[in-house]
Amino acid sequence: MIRDANREDRVTMTFGQRNAWVSAVVMPAASIAYLAVVLPRLGDRPAAEVSWVGPMLWTIGATVVGTIVGTILISIAAAITNRDVESKGDVRDKQIDRYGDRLAQAITAFGGAVVLALVMFEVDHFWIGNALFVIGAIGATWGAVAKIRAYHGVFNG
């Protein structure tokens, strides 16, 4: 965050902070939409017969596109509203980014162990794929939330 020289009470967000906000909104929204489409299908058929691959691929694609478009739009809005303020990242941004990424990777690594156990027990592909998807979404979301919290002063990195 960089203080505006013209207005002491105004703080602009760096690109990293804006990107964390976009990720913290897009990832859970897309994941909830995916689960809202796929989970009801379990009510009337076995997991092995549930069509989940297409919706998951669409969700992953929508998440990528949504993050890119959201980041572009919020960056344009920030550039318009903060024309005279520099919002480049600094060392703190790099530290916060690494902090959030480490947290996301730790959650994803734990999830990898869960998925490995599901494979060892020969659980249906539906559960394996969805476990990996949900754990990845949780890791990415929690990493973004950790970055946002770090930008607001709750940083242990």
Side-chain angles (χ1 to χ4, degrees):
M1 292 184 291
I2 299 170
R3 295 221 178 260
D4 185 337
N6 298 327
R7 290 183 52 198
E8 188 59 34
D9 62 332
R10 189 168 163 190
V11 178
T12 61
M13 285 191 236
T14 63
F15 177 79
Q17 187 176 8
R18 289 190 302 264
N19 197 29
W21 274 104
V22 170
S23 296
V25 170
V26 171
M27 180 54 91
S31 300
I32 290 168
Y34 167 77
L35 293 172
V37 168
V38 173
L39 289 181
R41 296 177 182 180
L42 283 172
D44 58 354
R45 64 190 80 136
E49 295 176 12
V50 172
S51 175
W52 59 275
V53 175
M56 184 179 289
L57 291 174
W58 277 104
T59 302
I60 292 169
T63 301
V64 170
V65 171
T67 301
I68 291 168
V69 170
T71 300
I72 290 170
L73 291 176
I74 202 166
S75 293
I76 290 171
I80 290 169
T81 58
N82 301 309
R83 290 180 190 257
D84 301 331
V85 180
E86 188 81 24
S87 65
K88 289 184 179 177
D90 57 11
V91 174
R92 182 172 167 255
D93 288 296
K94 290 177 185 175
Q95 291 173 333
I96 289 172
D97 197 45
R98 281 193 295 260
Y99 169 69
D101 288 347
R102 278 195 318 261
L103 211 52
Q105 289 170 355
I107 293 168
T108 305
F110 170 76
V114 169
V115 170
L116 186 59
L118 292 174
V119 170
M120 289 176 180
F121 288 112
E122 298 180 5
V123 174
D124 186 76
H125 289 129
F126 173 87
W127 297 111
I128 295 169
N130 281 284
L132 188 58
F133 176 80
V134 168
I135 291 166
I138 290 169
T141 301
W142 190 249
V145 169
K147 289 176 187 180
I148 292 166
R149 288 176 47 91
Y151 277 108
H152 291 286
V154 186
F155 179 55
N156 300 320

